[in-house]
Amino acid sequence: MTIKQVCQRYGLTQDTLRYYEKIGVIPQVHRSASGIRDYDEQDLSWVENAVCLRSAGVPVESIAEYVKQYQAGDETFAARRDLLSRVLSELTEQRSQLDAAIQKLTYKVGRYEEAVRTGVLSWEPRETAERNE
């Protein structure tokens, strides 16, 4: 697969893909006899890994470290596990923060929807307000 096809498939620019290869976010890509990048299934797997981790906010330095550890062999299982565990922990914390923000915003939108219907803005849930009447 050509670099253009890979970029179209994953929504990347050619510069980004070349940069990922240069800094080790993806290992060196297979090349044709004439030196043109020729992405095979293994290369695409690394690109998918990079896209997934980057979309989760993982820094390129961490992804490159993971690739380096992978290339070092099986003796790096624990180090790779630890790196991915840290990433997972950070993402889980971010998700918790996002869930809390979503819950708060959902509540506020609901209160404003009620205000649009009734002409009165109240920050108490309707059930609470009705019980207090």
Side-chain angles (χ1 to χ4, degrees), residues 61-105:
E61 296 83 9
S62 295
I63 302 170
E65 179 60 27
Y66 174 81
V67 172
K68 183 178 174 183
Q69 290 172 354
Y70 178 88
Q71 291 173 324
D74 293 350
E75 63 274 6
T76 66
F77 284 160
R80 285 184 268 163
R81 178 207 58 211
D82 294 347
L83 187 148
L84 293 177
S85 291
R86 282 192 305 276
V87 167
L88 180 60
S89 178
E90 291 168 6
L91 288 174
T92 301
E93 177 58 30
Q94 289 172 10
R95 183 175 67 186
S96 294
Q97 292 171 359
L98 284 173
D99 287 344
I102 288 169
Q103 185 177 9
K104 178 122 181 140
L105 288 171

Side-chain angles (χ1 to χ4, degrees), residues 1-130:
M1 186 176 278
T2 67
I3 191 169
K4 181 178 180 180
Q5 292 169 320
V6 173
C7 289
Q8 289 173 339
R9 182 174 184 173
Y10 294 104
L12 300 169
T13 66
Q14 291 184 22
D15 287 341
T16 298
L17 206 47
R18 287 185 190 106
Y19 174 70
Y20 283 177
E21 186 179 351
K22 179 181 177 183
I23 66 169
V25 168
I26 58 174
Q28 293 294 309
V29 174
H30 295 91
R31 292 183 181 259
S32 67
S34 60
I36 304 294
R37 286 177 176 83
D38 183 20
Y39 292 80
D40 63 15
E41 288 304 315
Q42 185 177 13
D43 296 325
L44 294 178
S45 178
W46 281 110
V47 173
E48 286 178 21
N49 183 64
V51 169
C52 173
L53 293 174
R54 283 301 296 141
S55 70
V58 177
V60 291
E61 296 83 9
S62 295
I63 302 170
E65 179 60 27
Y66 174 81
V67 172
K68 183 178 174 183
Q69 290 172 354
Y70 178 88
Q71 291 173 324
D74 293 350
E75 63 274 6
T76 66
F77 284 160
R80 285 184 268 163
R81 178 207 58 211
D82 294 347
L83 187 148
L84 293 177
S85 291
R86 282 192 305 276
V87 167
L88 180 60
S89 178
E90 291 168 6
L91 288 174
T92 301
E93 177 58 30
Q94 289 172 10
R95 183 175 67 186
S96 294
Q97 292 171 359
L98 284 173
D99 287 344
I102 288 169
Q103 185 177 9
K104 178 122 181 140
L105 288 171
T106 300
Y107 169 75
K108 285 183 169 278
V109 168
R111 296 291 80 222
Y112 280 108
E113 286 174 349
E114 183 71 16
V116 168
R117 278 194 303 276
T118 65
V120 177
L121 178 60
S122 170
W123 292 107
E124 291 184 31
R126 184 177 197 140
E127 305 81 44
T128 304
E130 290 172 354

